[in-house]
Amino acid sequence: MELMEIIKNNAKKNLKKIVLPESLEERTIKAADIILENQIASIILIGEKQEILETAKKYNLKNIEKAQIINPFSNPKKEEYAELMVSIRKKKGLTKSEAYKLLENPLYLATVMIKNGDADGEVAGAANATGDVLRPAFQYVKTLPGISVVSGAFIMIVKDKSFGDNGMLIFADCAVHPNPTAKELAEIAVATAKTTKAIANLEPRVAMLSFSTKGSAKHEFVDKVVEATRIAKEMAPEFKIDGEMQADAAIVEAIGKKKAPDSEIAGRANVLVFPSLETGNIAYKLVQRLANAEAIGPILQGMAAPINDLSRGCSINDIVNLVAITANQAAGL
Ligand code: ACO
């Protein structure tokens, strides 16, 4: 069975409440209809009920009435949510009246609902920029214990089945954190190993990538990856993590044997951790285009509850898939 089918079937077994704050956006409401029809998740839409139902009627959608609809202007939990927000960001100077105002913004309301336990996850971004989706999530949902940085992974499926696990590899960080420290890079490696297990259902073999393999080059950038590898191994001894290594040493068996003969994973890596967002983002896009690979993601990892950001160029199917992935992440937590 294809990976996305497995992910959707898993979601159906354990219905999670996923909030879609961009309810009136055409692709989002159409995706919500498909999700509700196929019972992939319970859906919460944020907006004015009448307006959402009229939009559903305009597009001839039959399932939107099954969604829970929350009006940001007359939300019965406004007081409770405002208090929660102030308790989280009092040190940052947030006042109750500012909290009330923020709760009228569906992107803030969605994250506070999650924090309060009224929703399990969120998918947004079809109509809003990455920063606007992520900032409320960073501020109110925050990161998992032991993790200080959120990052974005892609499941890459390449045609040549000799790479990774039957052509499947996980890349990170390709979406969020521009210039991680060694400690943050280690956290990204551990979070990606967990995503690999939870979403792709694979046993991770993590390569910490660099332009050097096992001391072949000397540079402060190499030192950062060496240090990150050390910290990641310490943080998660249960995972196979090794580095620093070049991309060919990581994924080509003969080169791995030659350049890193003592490595458990060289030549057989299925998780590639890039030293910076520049390298990760460029690499995933090149592999997607030049190798005609399927790229599923970004799957945001390290957050205390799953919140995923869509590309503004996304399709209805992308939204359905990301909701299913988000539901799987919520089940995993
Ligand atoms: N993980 C956890 N928390 C974070 C992170 C992170 N990666 N980055 C910022 N934060 C927190 C900060 O600590 C801060 O918290 P505080 O208010 O409690 O102090 C809050 O979020 C805001 O921090 P800023 O530094 O002001 O972050 P800003 O909102 O300016 O930027 C953003 C965050 C938008 C994610 C930025 O890092 C960014 O633009 N990243 C690149 C995103 C991008 O363009 N990706 C490529 C495209 S995606 C694609 O191609 C698939």
Side-chain angles (χ1 to χ4, degrees):
M1 208 190 295
E2 292 236 340
L3 179 66
M4 264 330 300
E5 286 311 305
I6 295 171
I7 290 173
K8 282 182 195 162
N9 284 339
N10 284 343
K12 287 178 193 179
K13 282 184 212 148
N14 190 353
L15 276 198
K16 292 290 171 191
K17 283 191 237 167
I18 308 299
V19 51
L20 303 176
E22 298 162 329
S23 307
L24 297 176
E25 197 280 324
E26 180 174 346
R27 291 158 300 173
T28 303
I29 195 165
K30 287 181 173 171
D33 190 67
I34 295 170
I35 294 156
L36 289 163
E37 183 176 5
N38 293 285
Q39 295 184 33
I40 295 167
S42 300
I43 291 293
I44 304 171
L45 298 172
I46 297 183
E48 209 271 306
K49 189 167 185 174
Q50 201 51 36
E51 202 177 355
I52 290 175
L53 295 180
E54 274 165 20
T55 307
K57 201 168 162 200
K58 182 170 98 186
Y59 298 132
N60 201 20
L61 307 176
K62 304 273 186 259
N63 298 283
I64 295 301
E65 280 179 8
K66 295 180 208 158
Q68 184 185 353
I69 297 178
I70 302 287
N71 187 328
F73 297 100
S74 58
N75 155 30
K77 290 199 173 178
K78 207 163 182 176
E79 176 66 23
E80 187 180 334
Y81 288 170
E83 271 172 21
L84 177 64
M85 290 174 82
V86 170
S87 74
I88 295 169
R89 292 191 71 81
K90 206 168 11 197
K91 279 199 191 117
K92 298 273 173 183
L94 186 81
T95 63
K96 196 96 170 262
S97 62
E98 284 167 342
Y100 279 134
K101 192 80 204 134
L102 287 174
L103 284 169
E104 290 174 1
N105 175 339
L107 294 171
Y108 275 87
L109 176 55
T111 57
V112 179
M113 287 180 73
I114 293 171
K115 184 68 185 174
N116 203 48
D118 298 326
D120 299 309
E122 173 193 347
V123 172
N128 285 283
T130 298
D132 295 333
V133 174
L134 295 190
R135 220 166 287 115
F138 291 162
Q139 291 174 350
Y140 293 97
V141 174
K142 298 188 186 278
T143 49
L144 282 167
I147 299 273
S148 65
V149 73
V150 170
S151 55
F154 274 88
I155 300 175
M156 304 296 297
I157 302 172
V158 297
K159 302 260 177 304
D160 186 336
K161 302 295 174 208
S162 67
F163 291 116
D165 275 38
N166 203 22
M168 198 183 295
L169 297 109
I170 321 299
F171 288 14
D173 171 18
C174 306
V176 186
H177 199 54
N179 190 15
T181 62
K183 166 80 169 44
E184 289 170 341
L185 195 55
E187 290 179 13
I188 291 169
V190 174
T192 312
K194 288 184 179 162
T195 299
T196 300
K197 257 188 109 105
I199 306 296
N201 202 17
L202 300 177
E203 207 44 59
R205 300 183 298 276
V206 183
M208 305 293 285
L209 296 186
S210 173
F211 57 84
S212 163
T213 304
K214 301 285 179 183
S216 66
K218 301 259 174 281
H219 191 276
E220 61 186 293
F221 292 172
V222 177
D223 296 342
K224 180 173 96 170
V225 180
V226 171
E227 177 64 358
T229 307
R230 186 191 66 73
I231 300 169
K233 284 180 171 179
E234 211 173 84
M235 280 175 73
E238 69 275 25
F239 291 132
K240 291 188 174 119
I241 300 173
D242 202 7
E244 89 302 75
M245 66 180 74
Q246 288 155 285
D248 56 356
I251 62 169
V252 181
E253 192 126 28
I255 300 178
K257 275 196 184 126
K258 207 166 165 183
K259 292 187 173 179
D262 298 329
S263 172
E264 241 190 319
I265 60 108
R268 304 171 48 243
N270 58 4
V271 178
L272 303 184
V273 174
F274 295 87
S276 67
L277 177 57
E278 270 181 328
T279 50
N281 187 268
I282 293 167
Y284 107 78
K285 285 185 192 289
L286 286 180
V287 172
Q288 182 183 28
R289 300 293 166 181
L290 296 179
N292 199 12
E294 190 181 344
I296 300 173
I299 301 170
L300 294 187
Q301 46 185 22
M303 207 105 67
I307 292 173
N308 279 306
D309 174 41
L310 293 155
S311 152
R312 272 179 285 180
C314 66
S315 65
I316 297 169
N317 196 37
D318 290 335
I319 304 176
V320 174
N321 286 348
L322 203 55
V323 167
I325 288 170
T326 308
N328 274 247
Q329 286 179 291
L333 288 168

